[in-house]
Amino acid sequence: MGDLKISSLNLTKKYSNSFQLFLMVHSHRVFRGFFIMLLLFHMILLLVPWIEIKIPAWPILKIFITIGTSLWPFPTSGMLSEENLYLRQLLMKTLEISVIMLYAIDLLPKIFIWRQNALWKFVNIVILSQMMFLLPVSIIAYDKVALPSDTMKLRIFSISFCFVIVCEILSIREQKSLRFLQITQRQQEKQRQIKQKIQEFSWCEIVKHDSPDDCWIVIKDKIYDVTQFLQYHPGGNMILDGAGGDCTALWYSYHPSKLIKQEPPQQYLIGIVRDYQQYYSYDDDFYQNIKEEVEDLIPRNNWQNHWILFIKGFLCLIGYLACLYYYINYCTLLSAILLGFFAAQADVNIMHDGNHYAFSSNKTLSFLAGYVLDLTFSTSVVYRRSHNFGHHSCVNHLELDRAFDTTFPYLRLHPLQQRYWYHKYQHMYIWIIYTFVNFTDVFGTFDEMQWFSNFPCRRGYVSKLQVFLQILVKLLWILITLVYPSIKFTYKVAFGMWLVYNAVHSYNYALYFSVNHWTLEAGVVDNQNINQTNWGKLQIQNSSNFALDSFIWTHLSGGLNYQIEHHLFPQFAHTRLKEIKETIQKKAKQAKIKYFEFPSFLHALISHYQLLKILGSQDKV
């Protein structure tokens, strides 16, 4: 329950009266989740046809219901009088329990707390108590003698109850607003106290504040303590991906242009970074003008929730799960190829948008879409930090872009990296390395977590539970895709098909990313020549598009062929990126910035090959 785990003494000191305390408890995310679950249950009650659907009464279910019946303090019907349960009985019991729980933990406390006279409280308590005790009796009677009119009454009751729950959820939103106002007032008071003297902090101190209970972030050279704001952040827990680190680029790329014109909320400001080094400029109007024009063209509430993306996501997910079943049970060459292909399609079409919070405006749905990467046995937790912070924030920047760290010394992708003798063959052995990208993605999880624990500017939060879950995911990957097929089809067959599946997955995933930044036309930067380049201009100069007019490549690559548009607007659903292409091209032309697109994927791949060959043979490029 998080912030509910406080002693009664502390609660008394923290909240001046019981009404404030009730608002804090009632607006808690667990309480809100309870109401949402009630709403879903009663929608089921409303929509499921009233037919006698039998459900087998398994022994464990009988034990569970018997214990529940013995503990339930109200009259109840004999649900296990026969060998089978009926769906009607389970739904009725759900209705009974949820209504009584609503009265007990929501309405009754409100009656006691609200500032009304004693007579008003007494009358309401009597009415609610009667309803609490009469409802189970009514359900028992309905279970024994059910008339068509009774069914209609229950449906009407369920509709009314859904309305009540919706009202409760809306009232909780109001209570959240009150709670947010209280936090804002406390932060403003805190701000007034520290306004006289802004403190300086070093990175060594900042990176320690990287947890949900103590979260600092840096925007430009200013430090903000956003601990109290986390649960109200419209982007959910995305802030935690940069906890204790520099979030400047994500502040500019993810937030509305109107908000960017302002400073971040000053009530959270606690200090400045000592000896802060800012590589990029955010001050000129280039990126701001692009964002404003795109927002005028397509309102922000239409950036996600694209029906084409939802259909694609559903088909890719079903295809992946079906191919996984096919592979496990038959382990043929075709099953391995299809599994690798659909795993990559699920990654680029669902996971990529989800981890950029571009899949849906509903943060929970986008969060779940991001976790499709765990379903394909990699890790979304690391991906968000390594990709969003370690790549998008600093694309093709030698010292900061994580892609250069993970590929060197095997590949030389930047002119300032040291060249070894074997790099002159990298344009040939690269195709072998790409075969194992999925292995490094899966097994590199824990190395990436360690990296984010050490890097001073982008720390991020990784909980012990996330580490445990990643160990579990990797074990499941080995067991499901290798151990079980080895037992069923022999190790030689299973291992061979396992390599094929991973190779297909690797190629379908890696090549799309490689041709976007590691080509002759894409620029690179480093600490010495960055010279306060505008961040928005850098995204265009250091990226390249391919096959923009191809329907097939757009959908096969998950919109990665619109890489420039994606880097400027990562929160944009990839199925809509083509709608803003002309706007960005026009702005780039006006600013005399090179906007490059390859006519086809093959042309982009050839340029990637040529870059590898040149960097492998020449020290200075």
Side-chain angles (χ1 to χ4, degrees):
M1 295 286 286
D3 53 357
L4 295 180
K5 294 180 179 178
I6 310 173
S7 68
S8 58
L9 178 61
N10 290 336
L11 285 172
T12 304
K13 293 179 179 179
K14 190 172 182 180
Y15 307 111
S16 58
N17 56 57
S18 57
F19 184 71
Q20 286 185 350
L21 173 59
F22 180 76
L23 286 184
M24 296 298 292
V25 174
H26 192 257
S27 62
H28 193 271
R29 61 182 180 274
V30 174
F31 207 76
R32 298 195 306 272
F34 170 75
F35 279 110
I36 292 171
M37 290 300 299
L38 285 187
L39 185 60
L40 293 176
F41 275 129
H42 287 277
M43 290 303 293
I44 294 173
L45 184 69
L46 179 64
L47 297 174
V48 171
W50 285 100
I51 56 177
E52 299 298 297
I53 301 176
K54 292 184 179 180
I55 301 173
W58 295 293
I60 186 67
L61 187 59
K62 287 185 177 182
I63 295 172
F64 180 76
I65 293 176
T66 302
I67 295 174
T69 302
S70 63
L71 296 176
W72 189 243
F74 301 98
T76 186
S77 56
M79 296 180 65
L80 290 174
S81 56
E82 302 176 10
E83 288 300 318
N84 294 308
L85 284 171
Y86 290 97
L87 179 62
R88 167 178 50 81
Q89 291 175 310
L90 291 178
L91 290 175
M92 288 297 181
K93 183 55 65 177
T94 301
L95 174 65
E96 173 191 339
I97 294 173
S98 58
V99 172
I100 291 175
M101 291 290 287
L102 174 67
Y103 292 155
I105 68 175
D106 180 55
L107 297 182
L108 283 176
K110 279 182 178 176
I111 291 173
F112 283 107
I113 291 173
W114 280 341
R115 299 183 180 96
Q116 298 288 342
N117 58 56
L119 179 61
W120 181 90
K121 292 184 178 182
F122 175 77
V123 171
N124 278 274
I125 290 173
V126 170
I127 294 173
L128 291 178
S129 299
Q130 282 185 327
M131 295 177 71
M132 286 174 61
F133 283 96
L134 288 176
L135 180 66
V137 176
S138 300
I139 289 179
I140 293 173
Y142 173 82
D143 194 50
K144 292 181 179 178
V145 183
L147 301 174
S149 59
D150 295 326
T151 301
M152 183 57 66
K153 290 176 184 177
L154 278 167
R155 286 186 179 276
I156 293 172
F157 176 81
S158 188
I159 293 173
S160 304
F161 193 66
C162 285
F163 176 74
V164 170
I165 296 175
V166 170
C167 292
E168 285 295 321
I169 294 172
L170 293 176
S171 72
I172 289 173
R173 292 178 66 88
E174 291 300 317
Q175 291 162 23
K176 285 180 66 179
S177 299
L178 290 173
R179 190 176 176 188
F180 180 70
L181 179 61
Q182 293 173 354
I183 291 174
T184 301
Q185 291 171 346
R186 289 199 298 269
Q187 290 286 350
Q188 288 174 344
E189 177 61 28
K190 184 178 180 181
Q191 180 63 25
R192 283 193 292 269
Q193 293 175 1
I194 67 172
K195 196 172 182 180
Q196 300 296 328
K197 182 181 178 182
I198 296 294
Q199 297 182 12
E200 284 190 356
F201 297 93
S202 67
W203 276 115
C204 294
E205 173 63 26
I206 295 168
V207 296
K208 297 176 183 177
H209 303 271
D210 65 341
S211 70
D213 300 323
D214 183 15
C215 181
W216 291 8
I217 61 171
V218 173
I219 299 176
K220 287 194 173 180
D221 62 338
K222 296 182 175 64
I223 307 168
Y224 299 87
D225 183 351
V226 294
T227 309
Q228 298 294 333
F229 179 65
L230 281 175
Q231 59 182 315
Y232 303 105
H233 182 228
N237 289 333
M238 187 178 184
I239 293 180
L240 288 176
D241 294 336
D246 194 334
C247 300
T248 308
L250 274 80
W251 161 258
Y252 280 89
S253 59
Y254 276 87
H255 293 88
S257 56
K258 292 181 180 179
L259 191 59
I260 293 174
K261 287 182 178 179
Q262 310 166 13
E263 289 288 326
Q266 294 303 292
Q267 64 265 32
Y268 301 113
L269 177 65
I270 61 170
I272 60 174
V273 183
R274 184 180 300 127
D275 300 325
Y276 181 76
Q277 187 173 11
Q278 181 173 305
Y279 297 107
Y280 313 120
S281 168
Y282 301 91
D283 296 329
D284 70 34
D285 295 331
F286 174 75
Y287 182 52
Q288 181 72 8
N289 290 339
I290 290 181
K291 178 165 280 193
E292 289 176 355
E293 193 160 331
V294 168
E295 288 175 345
D296 290 338
L297 179 67
I298 302 176
R300 288 185 67 91
N301 57 355
N302 292 331
W303 287 14
Q304 305 102 344
N305 304 319
H306 197 205
W307 64 272
I308 295 177
L309 179 56
F310 288 159
I311 292 175
K312 277 185 67 179
F314 176 76
L315 293 177
C316 289
L317 185 60
I318 294 299
Y320 168 70
L321 294 175
C323 291
L324 182 61
Y325 175 83
Y326 180 35
Y327 170 84
I328 293 172
N329 287 280
Y330 297 96
C331 204
T332 61
L333 179 62
L334 178 61
S335 69
I337 293 173
L338 288 175
L339 178 60
F341 173 77
F342 274 98
Q345 287 300 299
D347 287 343
V348 297
N349 284 292
I350 309 175
M351 173 280 296
H352 188 234
D353 281 64
N355 281 321
H356 280 295
Y357 298 88
F359 191 82
S360 170
S361 58
N362 184 298
K363 58 188 179 183
T364 302
L365 186 56
S366 275
F367 188 74
L368 292 174
Y371 265 88
V372 166
L373 188 59
D374 298 83
L375 196 62
T376 59
F377 305 109
S378 189
T379 168
S380 59
V381 174
V382 166
Y383 185 88
R384 287 197 304 272
R385 291 157 177 74
S386 181
H387 185 71
N388 294 1
F389 284 84
H391 171 64
H392 269 256
S393 296
C394 45
V395 58
N396 276 18
H397 189 146
L398 175 61
E399 290 83 2
L400 299 181
D401 192 337
R402 183 59 174 152
F404 292 120
D405 290 338
T406 55
T407 54
F408 188 80
Y410 312 108
L411 298 174
R412 184 176 185 242
L413 297 171
H414 195 287
L416 293 185
Q417 287 179 319
Q418 183 178 351
R419 186 174 70 90
Y420 294 105
W421 64 269
Y422 53 83
H423 284 146
K424 64 182 178 181
Y425 305 110
Q426 67 178 1
H427 61 288
M428 292 185 285
Y429 66 71
I430 182 65
W431 314 111
I432 300 175
I433 289 180
Y434 281 158
T435 305
F436 298 99
V437 165
N438 193 48
F439 292 96
T440 58
D441 220 22
V442 172
F443 292 113
T445 295
F446 305 103
D447 172 61
E448 293 282 315
M449 287 182 176
Q450 181 65 26
W451 174 75
F452 275 101
S453 296
N454 296 332
F455 201 81
C457 293
R458 292 186 302 275
R459 185 177 176 89
Y461 170 70
V462 179
S463 67
K464 292 180 180 179
L465 176 61
Q466 288 168 333
V467 175
F468 170 76
L469 289 177
Q470 287 314 307
I471 295 174
L472 185 62
V473 166
K474 303 309 178 273
L475 290 174
L476 285 174
W477 179 59
I478 296 295
L479 290 172
I480 292 174
T481 63
L482 185 59
V483 175
Y484 177 76
S486 296
I487 296 172
K488 191 172 182 179
F489 301 103
T490 75
Y491 177 74
K492 290 183 179 180
V493 172
F495 187 72
M497 295 304 102
W498 189 65
L499 289 177
V500 170
Y501 137 65
N502 279 286
V504 173
H505 187 182
S506 299
Y507 267 104
N508 274 271
Y509 183 75
L511 290 181
Y512 295 139
F513 289 93
S514 300
V515 300
N516 288 138
H517 301 293
W518 301 333
T519 63
L520 291 173
E521 286 71 19
V524 292
V525 293
D526 59 83
N527 286 351
Q528 302 305 315
N529 71 8
I530 189 77
N531 194 26
Q532 292 293 298
T533 303
N534 176 269
W535 182 85
K537 293 177 181 178
L538 195 69
Q539 303 305 305
I540 299 176
Q541 292 169 341
N542 291 4
S543 305
S544 57
N545 292 347
F546 67 88
L548 297 186
D549 296 326
S550 172
F551 174 86
I552 294 176
W553 282 115
T554 296
H555 289 286
L556 279 180
S557 68
L560 292 175
N561 56 334
Y562 288 90
Q563 189 70 191
I564 293 173
E565 288 75 13
H566 168 61
H567 265 257
L568 289 172
F569 296 93
Q571 211 173 357
F572 224 95
H574 77 260
T575 49
R576 302 205 65 172
L577 288 173
K578 62 182 179 181
E579 300 175 37
I580 62 174
K581 175 188 71 171
E582 293 182 1
T583 300
I584 295 173
Q585 286 176 335
K586 181 184 71 173
K587 290 293 185 182
K589 186 176 181 180
Q590 291 173 354
K592 297 181 180 180
I593 300 171
K594 181 183 178 182
Y595 176 105
F596 192 86
E597 60 174 289
F598 293 99
S600 68
F601 176 74
L602 180 59
H603 284 83
L605 195 60
I606 291 172
S607 181
H608 174 56
Y609 172 85
Q610 292 172 339
L611 176 72
L612 292 171
K613 191 172 183 179
I614 292 173
L615 288 175
S617 59
Q618 301 177 23
D619 287 322
K620 295 183 179 180
V621 180

